[in-house]
């Protein structure tokens, strides 16, 4: 299979333009430190220590949203994680930005302003169109190489992601390399034992697509979250309906036929919750067997303890486990039992494991688990879904194309 070049193949003393994904929560104007900074810091530190001249690009938020802010704070957070100075330039490809790039010495690192503050960045266009933009045409001649480390944005066709590989020799950064390898493992690796996928979260449409795409690769699907309730609804339990939410009915209408088809054709692969948890009148966690639910009158916020007990041995008997989505509202400790119970079982099992999606992976640190007990903890959302379903990632395809073109 064709692949991309990595930093191992980057020639010495290069002027390198690096695309990161530092998109982060912003609270009261303050950018929140998160796993993306620490992950990308490894690539930055490696490039700086090797004596390259490094300019970084990244995006933050979208125009019109509260999270659409400058990257000035990001530079300080990155510097702390990478252990190198990261200068900030209040421009992306104007005269000040170009001058700052030209002033870089060996080992210097600077961060350019939010790519989405340029008109050329956001429209989804073909790579050839983006390569002809002022943004790409102005910056590309200032560099010897382009490094894409933004796996979590690799499903986008934005200028900073797909324009530069047509202009410069292109390489994958360490985040891109490790994310791609782990997230495509389910489609490309052969496992001798059982492969299990934990399916949850609120975006049922996404995970149902994954279930369809991977039905021949996965032996068991363990369901929770919105998708779990929708499958229970298809099995004629009176759950999976909107009560004080708007998460269920619209997704049910969009996916009912597929859900019923999966249940009918592959019911032995699909494990459904036997009990669910909710908040009782005293504000405490309460559980009810799905067989005892007569009518849904309030939101279910987690799978129940019996379901966790059913799921744990399936995990422990697996050779590989992939996670997409939380099994409950784990941010509330009362409803963390499902997500944490299954993650702990994975951590204690000698298996290949990938935990996908920023929200779910937060539970690992939130509840004192060790990331090293998992084979890979992904920082990607949309790109992880694409990888699991086998859909191409435009930015990755261009890295492969660049390697083949220069071969």
């Amino acid at each position: 299979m064709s692949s991309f070049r990595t930093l191992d193949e980057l020639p010495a003393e290069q002027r390198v333009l690096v695309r990161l994904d530092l998109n982060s929560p912003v609270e009261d104007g303050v950018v929140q430190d998160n796993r993306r900074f620490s992950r990308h810091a490894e690539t930055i530190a490696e490039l700086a220590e090797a004596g390259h001249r490094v300019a970084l690009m990244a995006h933050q938020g979208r125009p019109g949203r509260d999270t659409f802010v400058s990257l000035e704070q990001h530079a300080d957070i990155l510097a702390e994680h990478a252990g190198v100075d990261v200068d900030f330039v209040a421009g992306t490809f104007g005269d000040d930005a170009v001058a700052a790039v030209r002033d870089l010495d060996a080992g210097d690192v600077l961060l350019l302003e939010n790519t989405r503050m340029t008109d050329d960045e956001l429209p989804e266009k073909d790579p050839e169109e983006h390569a002809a933009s002022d943004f790409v045409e102005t910056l590309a001649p200032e560099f010897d190489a382009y490094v894409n480390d933004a796996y979590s944005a690799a499903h986008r066709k934005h200028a900073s992601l797909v324009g530069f590989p047509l202009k410069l020799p292109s390489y994958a950064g360490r985040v891109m390399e490790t994310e791609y390898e782990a997230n495509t493992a389910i489609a490309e690796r052969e496992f001798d034992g059982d492969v299990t996928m934990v399916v949850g979260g609120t975006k049922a449409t996404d995970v149902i697509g994954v279930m369809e795409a991977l039905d021949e690769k996965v032996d068991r699907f363990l369901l929770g979250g919105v998708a779990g309730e929708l499958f229970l609804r298809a099995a004629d339990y009176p759950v999976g309906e909107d009560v004080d939410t708007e998460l269920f009915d619209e997704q049910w209408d969009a996916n009912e036929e597929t859900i019923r088809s999966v249940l009918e054709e592959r019911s032995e692969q699909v494990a459904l919750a036997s009990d669910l948890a909710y908040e009782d009148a005293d504000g405490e966690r309460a559980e009810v067997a799905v067989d005892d639910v007569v009518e849904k009158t309030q939101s279910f916020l987690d799978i129940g303890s019996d379901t966790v007990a059913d799921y744990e041995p399936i995990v422990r008997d697996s050779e590989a486990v992939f996670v997409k989505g939380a099994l409950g509202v784990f941010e509330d400790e009362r409803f963390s039992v499902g997500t944490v119970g299954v993650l702990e079982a994975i951590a204690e099992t000698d298996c290949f494991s990938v935990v996908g999606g920023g929200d779910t992976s937060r539970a690992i640190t939130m509840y004192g688990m060790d990331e090293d007990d998992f084979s890979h903890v992904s920082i990607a959302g949309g790109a992880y879904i694409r990888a699991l379903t086998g859909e191409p990632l435009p930015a990755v395809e261009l890295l492969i194309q660049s390697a083949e073109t220069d071969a």
Side-chain angles (χ1 to χ4, degrees), residues 260-335:
R260 291 192 184 280
S261 171
V262 170
L263 268 185
E264 183 178 335
E265 297 171 13
R266 300 191 290 277
S267 60
E268 72 286 348
Q269 285 179 271
V270 180
L272 301 178
S274 59
D275 58 345
L276 298 167
Y278 62 94
E279 183 180 41
D280 67 15
D282 297 323
E284 301 293 328
R285 176 188 175 101
E287 299 184 351
V288 60
V290 293
D291 285 333
D292 294 337
V293 178
V294 177
E295 179 184 4
K296 183 177 181 180
T297 57
Q298 58 187 312
S299 294
F300 294 112
L301 302 172
D302 194 11
I303 58 172
S305 302
D306 287 347
T307 303
V308 177
D310 292 339
Y311 286 179
E312 283 180 342
I314 297 173
V315 166
R316 295 183 194 280
D317 288 340
S318 299
E319 187 188 349
V321 182
F322 294 79
V323 180
K324 182 61 187 90
L327 299 177
V329 186
F330 69 83
E331 295 87 349
D332 184 330
E333 191 172 358
R334 296 172 299 170
F335 303 106

Side-chain angles (χ1 to χ4, degrees), residues 191-203:
F191 296 102
D192 293 330
D194 286 347
V195 176
T196 297
M197 171 158 272
V198 180
V199 176
T202 58
K203 297 178 181 177

Side-chain angles (χ1 to χ4, degrees), residues 170-284:
S170 299
Y171 303 81
R174 296 306 184 196
V175 171
M176 175 68 76
E177 183 183 358
T178 56
E179 288 274 359
Y180 180 78
E181 182 179 338
N183 297 340
T184 56
I186 195 167
E188 297 178 356
R189 284 182 59 168
E190 291 292 331
F191 296 102
D192 293 330
D194 286 347
V195 176
T196 297
M197 171 158 272
V198 180
V199 176
T202 58
K203 297 178 181 177
T205 298
D206 284 349
V207 295
I208 289 165
V210 169
M211 291 176 70
E212 268 203 302
L214 296 177
D215 68 296
E216 294 183 3
K217 294 281 186 178
V218 174
D219 298 288
R220 295 296 299 274
F221 293 98
L222 310 182
L223 269 63
V226 172
E229 274 199 61
L230 293 181
F231 270 81
L232 285 168
R233 179 173 174 174
D236 297 326
Y237 292 98
V239 299
E241 301 165 357
D242 282 333
V243 175
D244 302 323
T245 69
E246 294 183 355
L247 291 172
F248 294 93
D249 291 343
E250 187 175 325
Q251 294 193 78
W252 171 256
D253 292 340
N255 298 287
E256 177 185 359
E257 185 177 338
T258 303
I259 294 170
R260 291 192 184 280
S261 171
V262 170
L263 268 185
E264 183 178 335
E265 297 171 13
R266 300 191 290 277
S267 60
E268 72 286 348
Q269 285 179 271
V270 180
L272 301 178
S274 59
D275 58 345
L276 298 167
Y278 62 94
E279 183 180 41
D280 67 15
D282 297 323
E284 301 293 328

